[in-house]
Amino acid sequence: MKRVYNFSAGPAVLPEEVLKEAADEMLDYKGSGMSVMEMSHRSKVYDNIIKEAEADLRELMNIPDNYKVLFLQGGASQFFAEVPMNMMKNKKAGYILTGQWAKKAFQEAKIYGEAVELASSADKTFSYIPDCSDLPITDDMDYVYICENNTIYGTKFHELPDTKGKDLVADVSSCFLSEPVDVSKYAVIYGGVQKNVGPAGCVIAIIREDLITDDVLPGTPTMLKWKTQADADSLYNTPPCYTIYICGKVFKWLKKMGGLEAMKALNEKKAKILYDYLDESKLFKGTVEKSSRSLMNVPFVTGNEELDAKFVKEAKEAGFENLKGHRTVGGMRASIYNAMPIEGVEALVKFMKEFESKNHQA
């Protein structure tokens, strides 16, 4: 069976090598006589899996010793609430609104305290990253929050905002491990793994240790206190065992590929192929301002809804899956995460050129 080129925004494409390895180990993981799916999370075998995954992630991201790595359930959407629950000591925080997920996190924070809109790109359908060099941050704010890569709208912070000394919290769900980051610039980095790291079911959170305390908002559930999870090394209750196992395999694959510097170079190369074509095309055009473009998610349109639908349909027939844009934007979107091979992007551009020659009236 021929595999399709899967441009889904998430759950998304995984490295074929990783899938094959997991298939080989499905019935018997390393002589244990059972699948990781069946294994106790308290067993010595599983303890090695989760510890090795953390060690590899720390190495890949060069995570400082004063940061904890947590493997959690609940998705990034649950984490929207965990941030204020664990960090809103003064009941006030600043949010930069660059898309749907930042907006949802902002609305969630309002339940727990005063969430202040520091900047927004809603005026142009979130097609750019606003200037964050001089934000109206006040002394009583507990933190500043961003969604670093906006999956739906295809924008990315290429420079972190000036938080004026306040802790920076970043949702990196759709750019996780796509390029090197300086972890020390953040108080909290977190992301759902189902876009660029593994199968759905896990959030990885990298949290500076001084933020992990018993001083949380009243009413915070035991499970949602970062201290509960950190004290138990992510094993307070049964974690998403199989998802963490696959993430660990992806970390090893990334190391084999040359680490995050090598991934960044490859991702830039892939994105350039697609953006260069969009910039010269007479039929298709990208929807994002050039300075804010994401390397991971590339939205584009023809300007004609019927033609967009025709393109998505014909692309699917040709083996290009999940190119339909998000319902809030329309058009198309190609998510070209780490595991999307460069051949997939080249094949897509070739198909787009053929579609243009047949459907564009000069």
Side-chain angles (χ1 to χ4, degrees):
M1 180 202 150
K2 184 183 182 298
R3 277 173 62 79
V4 297
Y5 287 122
N6 178 11
F7 291 95
S8 171
V13 61
L14 285 164
E16 205 163 299
E17 197 178 304
V18 166
L19 295 175
K20 283 176 176 165
E21 247 183 61
D24 288 343
E25 293 173 349
M26 180 54 82
L27 294 177
D28 178 12
Y29 176 74
K30 294 193 173 173
S32 66
M34 60 181 130
S35 171
V36 176
M37 281 191 185
E38 309 169 289
M39 200 174 275
S40 166
H41 61 296
R42 306 282 180 205
S43 67
K44 182 74 188 126
V45 186
Y46 190 75
D47 196 52
N48 286 339
I49 290 172
I50 193 168
K51 282 195 166 61
E52 206 168 301
E54 180 179 337
D56 284 339
L57 180 63
R58 283 186 174 278
E59 187 185 327
L60 276 167
M61 293 182 72
N62 199 17
I63 298 172
D65 290 342
N66 64 325
Y67 283 74
K68 284 276 190 196
V69 174
L70 302 179
F71 297 95
L72 306 171
Q73 300 185 52
S77 295
Q78 180 173 285
F79 212 82
F80 296 164
E82 289 188 38
V83 170
M85 281 174 172
N86 286 273
M87 289 182 72
M88 256 194 182
K89 318 294 184 198
N90 295 321
K91 297 274 192 88
K92 190 173 180 184
Y95 280 69
I96 298 166
L97 305 187
T98 50
Q100 187 135 319
W101 303 114
K103 264 169 62 183
K104 287 191 172 181
F106 177 61
Q107 293 304 329
E108 198 72 14
K110 285 181 172 180
I111 298 168
Y112 303 99
E114 186 187 348
V116 179
E117 181 184 310
L118 296 174
S120 172
S121 52
D123 61 326
K124 292 184 183 171
T125 327
F126 300 116
S127 59
Y128 69 103
I129 297 293
D131 178 6
C132 297
S133 58
D134 187 18
L135 298 165
I137 294 165
T138 53
D139 285 346
D140 54 351
M141 285 182 183
D142 292 302
Y143 59 87
V144 172
Y145 183 102
I146 62 170
C147 180
E148 192 162 327
N149 188 87
N150 297 282
T151 324
I152 293 171
Y153 299 95
T155 58
K156 164 86 163 66
F157 280 83
H158 294 296
E159 258 181 56
L160 294 177
D162 179 353
T163 63
K164 299 183 178 174
K166 294 295 173 190
D167 283 337
L168 178 64
V169 178
D171 173 356
V172 297
S173 294
S174 53
C175 60
F176 212 4
L177 302 179
S178 62
E179 59 184 356
V181 293
D182 180 352
V183 174
S184 67
K185 289 183 175 175
Y186 305 79
V188 179
I189 303 180
Y190 77 94
V193 302
Q194 72 277 8
K195 297 172 185 295
N196 209 31
V197 190
C202 182
V203 164
I204 296 174
I206 300 158
I207 305 170
R208 208 176 60 227
E209 281 181 348
D210 61 287
L211 297 169
I212 300 173
T213 69
D214 283 318
D215 182 17
V216 296
L217 293 189
T220 299
T222 304
M223 277 285 293
L224 303 189
K225 292 177 184 173
W226 293 341
K227 192 169 190 313
T228 302
Q229 302 291 353
D231 287 352
D233 292 327
S234 303
L235 295 167
Y236 175 73
N237 70 329
T238 311
C241 299
Y242 198 79
T243 296
I244 294 166
Y245 155 76
I246 299 285
C247 289
K249 288 200 173 300
V250 172
F251 302 155
K252 292 218 178 296
W253 175 77
L254 286 166
K255 284 168 70 176
K256 198 168 114 183
M257 294 287 284
L260 301 190
E261 287 285 358
M263 284 319 298
K264 184 186 185 192
L266 181 59
N267 288 327
E268 284 175 341
K269 197 172 171 185
K270 287 190 299 190
K272 187 177 190 308
I273 292 166
L274 187 45
Y275 284 126
D276 281 356
Y277 168 62
L278 288 172
D279 289 342
E280 68 178 38
S281 171
K282 301 281 190 291
L283 177 62
F284 297 102
K285 70 171 178 43
T287 58
V288 174
E289 290 186 12
K290 283 187 182 181
S291 61
S292 300
R293 284 172 166 176
S294 165
L295 292 180
M296 297 284 100
N297 311 99
V298 184
F300 55 97
V301 294
T302 65
N304 177 313
E305 281 184 24
E306 282 174 26
L307 208 50
D308 286 352
K310 184 184 181 191
F311 174 79
V312 171
K313 180 177 178 289
E314 290 184 10
K316 184 180 172 69
E317 287 162 5
F320 303 100
E321 285 282 348
N322 297 307
L323 282 165
K324 191 174 191 289
H326 192 272
R327 62 187 177 278
T328 58
V329 182
M332 285 71 67
R333 171 182 52 180
S335 293
I336 49 176
Y337 297 125
N338 284 347
M340 172 57 67
I342 197 161
E343 296 80 21
V345 182
E346 287 167 344
L348 175 63
V349 168
K350 182 171 180 277
F351 176 79
M352 289 169 76
K353 284 177 176 171
E354 287 164 5
F355 184 89
E356 178 169 357
S357 70
K358 289 179 206 155
N359 292 276
H360 179 63
Q361 280 83 42

